[in-house]
Amino acid sequence: MAPHSRPRRLATAALTAAFVVLVAACAPAHPNSIFHNHTDFNRDVGHLFDILIGLGSFVFLFVETILVVTLIKFRKREGQPAPVHVHGNTKLEILWTAIPAVILAVIAVPTVRTIFKTEAPATADALQVTVTGHQWWWEFQYPQYGITTANELYLPIGRKVNFTLRTADVIHSFWVPELGGKRDLISNHTNYLWFTPDSVTEDVFNGFCAEFCGTSHANMRFKVFTVKPAEFAAWAAHQEQPAVSLIPDTTKAKPGVVAATMPAPTMQVAQAAPATESFVSFPRADIPKYAVPETPIPAGMTFDQSLKGDPVEGQKLISAPTSMCLACHTIKGNPMMQAVLGPNLTHVATRTTIAGGLYPNDAQHLELWIKNARVMKPGVIMNTLGAGQIDPMTGKPTDVGKLTDQQIADIVAYLQTLK
Ligand code: HEC
Ligand SMILES: [Cu+2]
């Protein structure tokens, strides 16, 4: 090997790496950056980061400069006598112990202050949100409003929000890089996190599970919509309502009406939300590309797109024991649908994605999902329900649900009315 080739190769590699990092910084948008500071929480943490990077850079440059100067100035020369050996220099040693001690003290003060501030309980006027991590989706409850939803959070701008973090199974971690976190969801333990979304920001933010939690950990995402307080109020008022039934309540139906001859389940007909409040959900057309899933459909999954679903049939099917849905899902207002193993479906049509943000919430993806959820998202407890479909967990055709494409199309037509 030539004497200078190794350092030269190392230098080339270092320069290339530096260039790649520099070019990466030129990308137009960083939708998941922690440096955008859209909340008090992120700003406090970002401020600490700046102090650390600033002081760290100073120490690095100082030490490296002395090192390089020493290397050049005192390097071995021909005919040079052996250097004088030095044994200790008290002044110097006191100095280089004192300087790092001062730097650490300077870092400690704001660090401890930030820890106390962010760990303190949120003030009583905060919006309360209970987050429950599930393998592999997010349950969001608003106890002040009686709302349970999944994978999509609505937060009013300018109002402090206090998250109560729990898990239904293994450890997960709640993280919205642009807003705050990450904070773990730990079994048999409750964690808290609070922040205030900036009052100038109306936007969509990506959220992630940041603690490996099994097969579909990477498919456990969520979205945060920050909206105007009036829009939040309208959204909450809407979400509080039970689902609108397509089948009139049999207890109030007149004789001779078809529905009266139908067996249970019955549903209360919900009052519509006040007409003045038009905001039901964040307009889909305004959602930026970075928050729209592009997951390809798994190979082999097909559905007869020419089928037209009947929503009334769908409502009957979904709450029939043979369809299985009632074993796991809630639809508020339908006494047959009160299970809590899966996401609450009361207003599922107001959400833009399904399955932990993995797929867009549209007819095609809903159909494929119900047909074979375990192929669409590896590991899920939702059964393979399409007739003749192979359940990837058993390798055999499914023995539950056995829904035909027509039945699935009916169910999906009903789900899409759950606005
Ligand atoms: C064994 C329990 C179980 C059964 C039975 C079941 N589901 Fe699910 N379902 C789940 C779970 C769990 C999820 C969330 C999976 C994930 O995202 O990881 C889910 C997700 C969904 C979603 C997506 C909701 C969202 O917001 O992400 C829909 C829609 C859905 N199920 C509809 C149905 C219908 C319709 C039936 C009956 C035909 C049904 N499910 C039967 C457990 C079940
Ligand atoms: Cu996870």
Side-chain angles (χ1 to χ4, degrees):
M1 199 198 289
H4 289 302
S5 72
R6 200 175 135 84
R8 202 170 292 165
R9 245 187 292 143
L10 279 177
T12 315
L15 271 178
T16 312
F19 181 72
V20 168
V21 170
L22 195 76
V23 169
C26 301
H30 304 278
N32 304 321
S33 165
I34 56 165
F35 297 116
H36 286 163
N37 299 343
H38 290 301
T39 58
D40 43 4
F41 181 98
N42 261 16
R43 228 184 318 278
D44 287 343
V45 176
H47 181 62
L48 271 188
F49 183 85
D50 290 346
I51 296 176
L52 286 178
I53 280 288
L55 290 173
S57 306
F58 169 74
V59 170
F60 177 80
L61 288 178
F62 183 72
V63 171
E64 290 303 303
T65 308
I66 293 179
L67 183 69
V68 170
V69 166
T70 310
L71 283 177
I72 293 169
K73 195 166 170 205
F74 300 105
R75 74 164 181 254
K76 192 178 174 203
R77 289 187 177 85
E78 284 308 316
Q80 193 182 35
V84 188
H85 284 233
V86 180
H87 294 281
N89 180 324
T90 315
K91 253 191 226 157
L92 206 59
E93 278 173 21
I94 290 176
L95 196 71
W96 70 41
T97 308
I99 293 177
V102 170
I103 292 179
L104 286 183
V106 169
I107 291 171
V109 173
T111 304
V112 172
R113 207 171 44 204
T114 307
I115 291 175
F116 276 102
K117 185 178 167 192
T118 56
E119 291 287 303
T123 44
D125 60 333
L127 171 69
Q128 302 292 336
V129 176
T130 304
V131 176
T132 308
H134 295 260
Q135 283 172 312
W136 291 273
W137 57 282
W138 300 86
E139 184 171 354
F140 299 124
Q141 283 168 311
Y142 294 72
Q144 291 149 318
Y145 296 86
I147 296 170
T148 302
T149 182
N151 303 325
E152 296 192 3
L153 258 178
Y154 280 75
L155 301 177
I157 50 180
R159 181 167 174 199
K160 189 179 289 174
V161 50
N162 184 36
F163 297 98
T164 301
L165 306 167
R166 301 207 175 101
T167 171
D169 35 56
V170 301
I171 301 179
H172 302 276
S173 187
F174 178 85
W175 191 32
V176 193
E178 300 228 335
L179 299 179
K182 50 185 89 137
R183 194 152 290 168
D184 283 5
L185 283 57
I186 299 174
S187 320
N188 296 321
H189 177 82
T190 304
N191 267 343
Y192 299 92
L193 168 75
W194 59 262
F195 55 67
T196 319
D198 284 356
S199 48
V200 287
T201 315
E202 287 165 62
D203 215 336
V204 189
F205 301 101
N206 288 325
F208 306 88
C209 177
E211 179 71 48
F212 181 71
C213 57
T215 316
S216 268
H217 162 64
N219 303 327
M220 184 171 169
R221 302 169 223 163
F222 62 103
K223 249 177 265 310
V224 181
F225 297 105
T226 53
V227 296
K228 292 191 185 81
E231 289 173 340
F232 177 78
W235 173 85
H238 183 82
Q239 295 282 324
E240 267 182 286
Q241 305 287 330
V244 177
S245 176
L246 306 176
I247 304 166
D249 188 338
T250 49
T251 56
K252 288 179 207 144
K254 294 181 202 87
V257 175
V258 183
T261 60
M262 222 203 67
T266 60
M267 284 178 79
Q268 304 142 18
V269 179
Q271 296 104 344
T276 46
E277 299 182 343
S278 54
F279 187 91
V280 169
S281 57
F282 198 92
R284 282 205 190 193
D286 293 354
I287 296 177
K289 214 170 169 295
Y290 62 74
V292 178
E294 291 172 356
T295 318
I297 290 167
M301 287 297 298
T302 54
F303 193 87
D304 183 354
Q305 294 293 323
S306 66
L307 294 174
K308 226 185 111 38
D310 173 357
V312 177
E313 269 313 304
Q315 184 181 332
K316 292 182 202 165
L317 269 168
I318 204 170
S319 34
T322 45
S323 76
M324 297 283 290
C325 322
L326 50 68
C328 300
H329 290 287
T330 291
I331 295 179
K332 197 168 162 185
N334 182 338
M336 294 293 282
M337 302 279 297
Q338 301 290 334
V340 292
L341 280 177
N344 188 305
L345 299 180
T346 309
H347 294 286
V348 65
T350 61
R351 304 202 279 266
T352 65
T353 57
I354 56 165
L358 191 56
Y359 295 108
N361 184 4
D362 57 26
Q364 187 198 13
H365 287 91
L366 284 170
E367 286 157 354
L368 296 173
W369 177 260
I370 294 168
K371 194 165 179 177
N372 204 334
R374 289 181 177 176
V375 165
M376 294 292 280
K377 182 169 175 178
V380 293
I381 61 164
M382 176 155 160
N383 307 77
T384 293
L385 294 168
Q389 287 287 301
I390 305 290
D391 178 346
M393 287 191 187
T394 62
K396 297 192 190 104
T398 184
D399 53 3
V400 291
K402 296 187 194 162
L403 300 166
T404 62
D405 276 13
Q406 181 60 59
Q407 288 174 314
I408 293 174
D410 292 344
I411 290 177
V412 168
Y414 169 62
L415 288 176
Q416 293 198 302
T417 70
L418 295 176
K419 292 244 161 69

